Amino acid sequence: MVKLADTEKVTVNLNVVDLGKIDLLVEQGFFSNRTDFIKSAIRNQLSEHAEEVNKLTTDKVLGALYYSRKDLEEVVAKGKVLDIKVIGMLAFADDVDEDLVRKSIRSLKVLGVLRASKEVRKALDRIK
């Protein structure tokens, strides 16, 4: 089973002046810490561009999508293939193998996080 995390760690490099300004706002009580400031800035930008994001995501899954071996075997049994577009996270069960991926997935676009075995990742790299 793949563990679905609530958050992902992101590293951001800032110049010393911007970092100092953030620390000043934290010191003055506007934010509880640097992370709180950065999360707030990200939420504000996403909110400001929400209309554009909504227009661009109409044909994509927003959130987390999980495929088990059984899910993909059912796709193959029906004679279908998947065109997967995800904004968020796509995860595959540990028992999904390269052959099943090739048979069940035609195209793939993941903006966010992909959780899969090394074998499945290799197969997906050939699909993209």
Side-chain angles (χ1 to χ4, degrees), residues 24-59:
L24 177 64
L25 291 172
V26 169
E27 180 181 82
Q28 295 301 309
F30 289 96
F31 300 93
S32 59
N33 53 43
R34 291 174 175 175
T35 300
D36 184 36
F37 172 87
I38 293 167
K39 285 180 177 180
S40 177
I42 291 168
R43 280 190 297 272
N44 288 340
Q45 286 299 306
L46 291 172
S47 177
E48 185 176 320
H49 298 284
E51 188 175 326
E52 292 86 0
V53 170
N54 288 338
K55 287 177 186 174
L56 296 169
T57 58
T58 57
D59 64 339

Side-chain angles (χ1 to χ4, degrees), residues 52-104:
E52 292 86 0
V53 170
N54 288 338
K55 287 177 186 174
L56 296 169
T57 58
T58 57
D59 64 339
K60 296 168 185 69
V61 172
L62 224 55
L65 187 58
Y66 176 80
Y67 284 104
S68 68
R69 179 173 195 84
K70 181 182 174 194
D71 295 331
L72 296 179
E73 286 173 343
E74 288 176 3
V75 168
V76 172
K78 292 177 182 176
K80 297 187 177 196
V81 289
L82 300 172
D83 294 304
I84 302 171
K85 297 175 185 175
V86 178
I87 297 175
M89 181 166 58
L90 174 63
F92 292 91
D94 292 336
D95 61 349
V96 171
D97 61 31
E98 184 178 359
D99 185 52
L100 186 54
V101 166
R102 271 188 280 143
K103 290 178 183 175
S104 60

